[in-house]
Amino acid sequence: MRFLKTTVPTLLLAAAALCGAVEVGAKSAAVFDAATGRMLWGKDPDTPRYPASTTKILTGLLIAERCSPDEVIVAPPDTETVTGSSMHLRPGERVSARHLLAAILLRSANDGCHAAAVHLAGSDAAFAQLMNERARQIGCTNSNFNNPHGLNDKNHTTTARDLGRIACEAMRNEWFAETARQRKWLLERSANQEDLWLFNKNKLLAADPTVDGVKTGYTTEAGHCFVGSATRAGVRVVTVVLDSPDWKKDTRNLLEWAFRTHGERTVVRKGAPAPLVKVEGGVEPAVPTVASESLRMLVPLG
């Protein structure tokens, strides 16, 4: 499902402004209606910034879309040269895509990202091309991914708006979403049986039962980053904070604002008249249309 491009009426924009600002310390932040990918509020959402390990949302999405859960991924010979957060893969070690995805999302395993990139594309550089292609399909317009894990690279940047769009797309994938909400995981692997337990770095999962994702990130250059998801009464909201002094506080503020000031409404009903469509060379210059399905979206209350 691609990012839904929705033209928001001026009235809705004015109503959103009446909802008030959100207190957020992050340099860039945004909150989204996950069902449509529409941004409800943003703070400097289009400035390119380093995403750190929130990069792994896109990496994980590609794994979920291009691999079967039981597909075996073999750690490449150079796997131990990958720095940072690690699942301590050994060269030649065999891990299923299901367990590799869990290691990437819960422990933020950089070596797991490298193994997935080599498996799917042959190299990190070739995999980055897949990442950028998929990001463009989702609707990202101001991102450039240069590696699968988010280790700092001056040419590896994205924006709060683009990252939110990617997260909305990822959370529509059932396998990805189910993995992202896990607080702990018991690995199955062919080697290193001393390292089997994964514990999610997303501490909001334990603090708020409505939180169901997505990914933390930190490097010195990027600061603390977090892409979150929470579902209340069947409505999911996705949040993004980049370079935040307190990512947990910022995320809570975004969630509370979104659920307090917005509600899900049917804005187009199935069968309702839709705009005329112009026809070139037809019997009539335009033909009437109707909505093929209902559209529900978050709108400002009142």
Side-chain angles (χ1 to χ4, degrees):
M1 179 177 181
R2 294 187 179 183
F3 168 69
L4 178 62
K5 295 181 179 178
T6 307
T7 301
V8 184
T10 303
L11 182 60
L12 286 184
L13 291 175
L18 292 175
C19 291
V22 190
E23 183 180 345
V24 175
K27 289 185 177 179
S28 288
V31 57
F32 296 81
D33 173 3
T36 64
R38 185 171 62 90
M39 191 173 74
L40 306 176
W41 179 90
K43 172 186 176 183
D44 200 12
D46 296 313
T47 296
R49 299 192 187 279
Y50 299 129
S53 287
T54 59
T55 297
K56 296 179 174 86
I57 299 170
L58 182 52
T59 297
L61 175 61
L62 286 171
I63 293 170
E65 290 179 336
R66 292 172 175 257
C67 296
S68 66
D70 294 326
E71 188 170 333
V72 174
I73 296 175
V74 180
D78 63 346
T79 190
E80 293 178 320
T81 65
V82 182
T83 60
S85 300
S86 174
M87 62 183 292
H88 305 115
L89 281 173
R90 295 172 180 171
E93 183 173 356
R94 299 164 65 86
V95 183
S96 71
R98 175 186 289 107
H99 289 277
L100 194 72
L101 179 61
I104 289 170
L105 294 182
L106 274 69
R107 191 185 285 183
S108 202
N110 293 335
D111 51 352
C113 293
H114 175 58
V118 172
H119 177 78
L120 287 171
S123 68
D124 286 1
F127 185 74
Q129 294 180 14
L130 294 181
M131 297 173 75
N132 287 313
E133 178 183 343
R134 188 67 181 98
R136 286 191 293 270
Q137 291 172 353
I138 292 168
C140 300
T141 59
N142 206 10
S143 296
N144 184 69
F145 295 97
N146 218 33
N147 64 59
H149 38 60
L151 287 173
N152 204 69
D153 180 329
K154 65 180 181 179
N155 295 317
H156 184 93
T157 59
T158 187
T159 67
R161 188 190 302 270
D162 283 357
L163 200 50
R165 288 173 171 173
I166 292 167
C168 289
E169 183 80 358
M171 291 300 285
R172 295 184 192 114
N173 183 290
E174 293 184 9
W175 175 17
F176 181 101
E178 177 62 27
T179 305
R181 70 169 59 99
Q182 300 301 315
R183 292 170 59 184
K184 62 181 180 179
W185 187 281
L186 182 62
L187 274 175
E188 294 180 11
R189 56 195 304 176
S190 67
N192 199 3
Q193 298 301 305
E194 297 78 27
D195 186 5
L196 298 179
W197 280 103
L198 305 172
F199 298 95
N200 204 319
K201 295 186 176 184
N202 177 6
K203 303 306 180 185
L204 290 181
L205 289 170
D208 183 344
T210 71
V211 171
D212 51 15
V214 179
K215 188 71 191 73
T216 59
Y218 174 79
T219 64
T220 301
E221 296 83 359
H224 288 283
C225 304
F226 182 65
V227 178
S229 169
T231 303
R232 300 179 186 177
V235 175
R236 172 173 281 149
V237 165
V238 164
T239 61
V240 181
V241 293
L242 299 177
D243 198 355
S244 170
D246 189 336
W247 65 269
K248 288 180 282 190
K249 179 180 178 181
D250 281 348
T251 298
R252 290 192 189 100
N253 288 347
L254 287 170
L255 290 175
E256 293 308 314
W257 175 85
F259 286 114
R260 184 182 72 251
T261 61
H262 288 70
E264 190 178 46
R265 298 288 183 269
T266 299
V267 295
V268 177
R269 295 190 181 277
K270 183 176 180 179
L276 291 174
V277 175
K278 293 182 179 180
V279 178
E280 292 185 6
V283 176
E284 299 291 339
V287 295
T289 62
V290 297
S292 62
E293 59 184 51
S294 295
L295 172 65
R296 292 182 64 82
M297 62 191 297
L298 287 182
V299 297
L301 296 175

